[in-house]
């Protein structure tokens, strides 16, 4: 199914996990240091990486940051025992797509992997005002200016764009994007949406469509730029 890099220095975790991933049909390359993880991920042949944050050589977060700095869009799932909120935010900021806290059930992680692998590409180019989404290339532009989004931000934007003017409830979004494999609160969604708004605004300078919050329900992409207050 997918070529997965598993970066984990604890064999008690990596061995059963690699076995389970292979049983699930994936090709798995296990590495036990951050430096190896970066090297193999940079080679560009993997479809997905599962990475522990506490790795010898180079911290998992450094690996992710460095990959994103190189422009890599490799989907990344962070696995870590550091489950504090701070680490959560830091992991997503660094460019991870998903997060699983230790200890985790292997079937939960497998489901997250499948969700990221399945993450679909719809064929069309979607235009919402000045916003252009080229889904084959997973590229987002406002006018001619490219917007660099994390894979999850992209997924949220794509979903909202496919439903312009309609309110998408938090539940719908999480079900679609996280495919029901969601065990946390909706804080992650809020972080992705605010990241998305910021990035769109940074590039769009007012040309970007607005992602409005519908209080108590969810989000809606407006097909034209709206006053800043509507996004509150
Ligand atoms: Ca570790």
């Amino acid at each position: 199914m997918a070529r997965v890099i598993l970066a984990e220095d604890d064999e008690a975790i990596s061995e059963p996990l690699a076995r389970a991933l292979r049983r699930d049909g994936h090709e798995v390359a296990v590495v036990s240091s951050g430096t190896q993880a970066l090297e193999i991920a940079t080679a560009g042949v993997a479809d997905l990486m599962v990475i522990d944050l506490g790795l010898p050589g180079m911290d998992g977060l450094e690996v992710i940051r460095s990959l994103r700095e190189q422009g890599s869009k490799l989907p990344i799932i962070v696995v870590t025992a550091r489950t504090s909120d701070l680490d959560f935010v830091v992991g997503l900021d660094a460019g991870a797509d998903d997060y699983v806290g230790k200890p985790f059930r292997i079937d939960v992680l497998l489901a997250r992997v499948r969700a990221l692998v399945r993450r679909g590409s719809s064929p069309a180019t979607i235009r919402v005002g000045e916003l252009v989404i080229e889904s084959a290339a997973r590229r987002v532009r406002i006018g001619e200016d490219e917007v660099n989004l994390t894979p999850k931000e992209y997924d949220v934007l794509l979903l909202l764009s496919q439903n312009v003017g309609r309110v998408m409830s938090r539940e719908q979004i999480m079900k679609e994007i996280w495919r029901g494999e969601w065990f946390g609160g909706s804080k992650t969604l809020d972080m992705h949406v605010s990241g998305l708004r910021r990035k769109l605004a940074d590039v769009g300078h007012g040309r970007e469509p607005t992602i409005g919050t519908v209080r108590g329900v969810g989000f809606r992409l407006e097909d034209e730029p709206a006053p800043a207050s509507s996004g509150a």
Side-chain angles (χ1 to χ4, degrees):
M1 278 211 79
R3 286 156 298 182
V4 179
I5 302 168
L6 174 57
E8 167 63 77
D9 58 321
D10 184 348
E11 287 183 4
I13 292 171
S14 67
E15 279 180 5
L17 187 50
R19 257 200 314 274
L21 284 164
R22 286 180 185 128
R23 243 192 343 257
D24 229 24
H26 305 297
E27 251 176 66
V28 186
V30 182
V31 295
S32 55
S33 80
T35 350
Q36 288 173 312
L38 183 61
E39 206 172 293
I40 188 168
T42 305
V45 290
D47 301 306
L48 184 127
M49 179 162 70
V50 176
I51 188 168
D52 177 33
L53 290 191
L55 285 174
M58 191 179 189
D59 186 83
L61 284 179
E62 289 174 56
V63 173
I64 298 170
R65 281 207 191 91
S66 156
L67 279 171
R68 294 304 184 233
E69 276 164 22
Q70 294 168 27
S72 165
K73 295 196 182 346
L74 179 70
I76 298 174
I77 300 176
V78 162
V79 175
T80 184
R82 305 185 211 159
T83 48
S84 76
D85 285 346
L86 181 65
D87 288 322
F88 192 57
V89 174
V90 164
L92 293 169
D93 262 7
D97 301 280
D98 210 341
Y99 183 102
V100 179
K102 285 180 186 172
F104 57 89
R105 296 206 337 246
I106 281 187
D107 58 336
V108 168
L109 186 72
L110 291 179
R112 301 282 183 98
V113 167
R114 281 196 298 268
L116 270 190
V117 169
R118 266 200 314 258
R119 202 175 52 192
S121 54
S122 50
T125 294
I126 298 176
R127 288 169 199 278
V128 182
E130 292 277 296
L131 176 73
V132 180
I133 301 176
E134 296 164 13
S135 59
R138 297 179 66 85
R139 189 182 300 132
V140 174
R141 291 185 281 117
I142 295 174
E144 291 305 313
D145 304 316
E146 187 158 351
V147 188
N148 286 307
L149 301 176
T150 67
K152 271 286 189 280
E153 287 168 345
Y154 172 88
D155 288 342
V156 172
L157 181 63
L158 180 64
L159 181 64
L160 292 174
S161 306
Q162 288 163 335
N163 295 276
V164 178
R166 274 180 51 200
V167 182
M168 295 298 287
S169 73
R170 293 172 166 279
E171 291 70 27
Q172 280 173 308
I173 297 171
M174 291 194 291
K175 206 170 135 207
E176 284 287 323
I177 309 286
W178 281 269
R179 312 279 180 176
E181 290 132 8
W182 180 264
F183 298 90
S186 61
K187 198 164 55 173
T188 313
L189 177 58
D190 287 303
M191 286 191 287
H192 283 95
V193 170
S194 44
L196 196 46
R197 282 181 178 137
R198 193 184 59 236
K199 288 178 183 178
L200 291 175
D202 282 352
V203 173
H205 301 294
R207 294 171 300 161
E208 72 282 3
T210 305
I211 301 172
T213 301
V214 181
R215 219 168 274 286
V217 185
F219 302 98
R220 176 175 55 208
L221 188 72
E222 313 288 353
D223 64 355
E224 56 191 47
S229 59
S230 72

